[in-house]
Amino acid sequence: MTAQPDLHTDADEWHGQWVNFYQYRTGQRHFGQAISASRQAADEVRAAWFKQAADQAKIGNVLAYDINSRHAFWIVEKTDLIPENSPYIVKARNCTFSIAVPYVPPEGPQDDDIPF
């Protein structure tokens, strides 16, 4: 009998909600704002986010995300005023890794609707 590697993960069995995780060139990382019903839906959210960023970049706009306030916004002019290695504001173009991960709601009282 030959041993077979087990490629099965807990995520393969997850039937709950999903959230996207993003990591950037200089180490910043965050979870997305959208909580999706399925992994496929989360993948679609992420694809739309990057497509919108690429489309807007063609006309000089930069999609950014403020890690502290947890909101995305557009930088329309003077995009160089925010450095590429800012610890608090990241630019979508600097994202090096993103993936949908199972969303587990936090336990206990929360002061806002932040998904982590």
Side-chain angles (χ1 to χ4, degrees), residues 24-45:
Y24 297 84
R25 242 181 240 147
T26 52
Q28 307 96 322
R29 56 189 178 270
H30 66 87
F31 288 99
Q33 293 172 283
I35 306 299
S36 302
S38 69
R39 186 180 218 166
Q40 180 181 354
D43 290 342
E44 291 169 3
V45 167

Side-chain angles (χ1 to χ4, degrees), residues 20-107:
N20 286 311
F21 172 80
Y22 303 89
Q23 186 163 339
Y24 297 84
R25 242 181 240 147
T26 52
Q28 307 96 322
R29 56 189 178 270
H30 66 87
F31 288 99
Q33 293 172 283
I35 306 299
S36 302
S38 69
R39 186 180 218 166
Q40 180 181 354
D43 290 342
E44 291 169 3
V45 167
R46 197 170 65 257
W49 196 71
F50 284 119
K51 181 182 182 327
Q52 188 177 25
D55 290 347
Q56 287 291 313
K58 293 175 187 174
I59 58 173
N61 298 332
V62 174
L63 179 57
Y65 187 85
D66 184 324
I67 293 174
N68 287 335
S69 72
R70 298 178 178 110
H71 290 329
F73 62 95
W74 291 103
I75 305 172
V76 178
E77 296 177 3
K78 301 182 181 180
T79 61
D80 58 337
L81 290 180
I82 297 173
E84 298 298 317
N85 63 347
S86 168
Y88 306 111
I89 297 177
V90 292
K91 298 175 183 176
R93 67 181 179 210
N94 292 331
C95 185
T96 57
F97 178 77
S98 63
I99 190 170
V101 296
Y103 169 70
V104 178
E107 294 180 14

